Amino acid sequence: MEDTYIHYGHKSFNPNEFEPIRNFDVKPKGGLWASPINAKFGWKDWCEREKFEECHPDNAFIFRLKTHANVLVIDNVEVLNTLPQIETCFTSCGWVCLDFKKIAKEYDAVELILSKDRQLYWKLYGWDCDSIVILNKDVIEEVRAWEK
């Protein structure tokens, strides 16, 4: 199940509901958010720890990316510091606000492996777990319901 992701909150993927990526603050608006199914600390783990919401397998789907998908992996602060950024009110706090519109011109997705470098938590405040945001819906394949 390497490179398999799970999205909670919908039973299936509807490409017609996919919103194009837009810059916002630390996290972008739009795209499709998920966690690697075997993440050390994924969305379900964060929700359980924070008592945020229930992540039900009957309201989730799993997917893979096409082999040609160009995924930007951020697994340390050094990588983060090389990426294009935008200025927002949060940059004065030391948070990094990436320019996702620029990034989307080169990459199909951005995967954050927070569990490899905890400094990323403070730089990308609000990205609370190992996760991926899909910027290009055309790289999603093999969508199916989550089965234990």
Side-chain angles (χ1 to χ4, degrees):
M1 285 266 207
E2 188 74 20
D3 297 328
T4 302
Y5 302 93
I6 186 162
H7 169 86
Y8 291 97
H10 298 93
K11 293 180 182 184
S12 63
F13 175 64
N14 182 346
N16 296 324
E17 293 179 1
F18 186 92
E19 291 184 38
I21 206 75
R22 298 181 314 278
N23 287 328
F24 187 58
D25 286 323
V26 178
K27 292 168 83 175
K29 294 275 188 182
L32 175 71
W33 289 87
S35 283
I37 202 157
N38 293 322
K40 285 187 180 181
F41 189 71
W43 178 244
K44 183 176 181 181
D45 302 308
W46 184 85
C47 285
E48 287 173 357
R49 186 184 77 188
E50 299 296 321
K51 297 176 180 31
F52 180 66
E53 65 179 48
E54 297 281 327
C55 293
H56 293 286
D58 60 344
N59 193 27
F61 65 87
I62 60 173
F63 64 93
R64 296 178 58 90
L65 300 178
K66 293 179 180 176
T67 56
H68 71 273
N70 192 9
V71 179
L72 170 61
V73 176
I74 303 171
D75 61 359
N76 63 66
V77 172
E78 290 77 24
V79 170
L80 180 65
N81 290 335
T82 67
L83 300 173
Q85 300 178 19
I86 59 172
E87 289 290 324
T88 73
C89 60
F90 295 112
T91 51
S92 63
C93 300
W95 298 351
V96 173
C97 299
L98 295 173
D99 188 337
F100 286 95
K101 291 189 76 136
K102 275 189 182 174
I103 292 170
K105 290 178 182 176
E106 184 176 347
Y107 294 96
D108 298 307
V110 176
E111 185 166 359
L112 176 69
I113 307 175
L114 188 67
S115 60
K116 282 194 173 182
D117 185 347
R118 289 300 294 172
Q119 290 180 28
L120 289 168
Y121 176 83
W122 299 109
K123 293 289 186 182
L124 293 171
Y125 193 74
W127 291 51
D128 298 313
C129 61
D130 293 350
S131 56
I132 190 168
V133 59
I134 308 302
L135 310 175
N136 174 5
K137 67 181 176 181
D138 296 330
V139 298
I140 296 172
E141 72 174 3
E142 287 190 44
V143 176
R144 61 189 185 278
W146 169 241
E147 299 169 8
K148 285 189 174 180

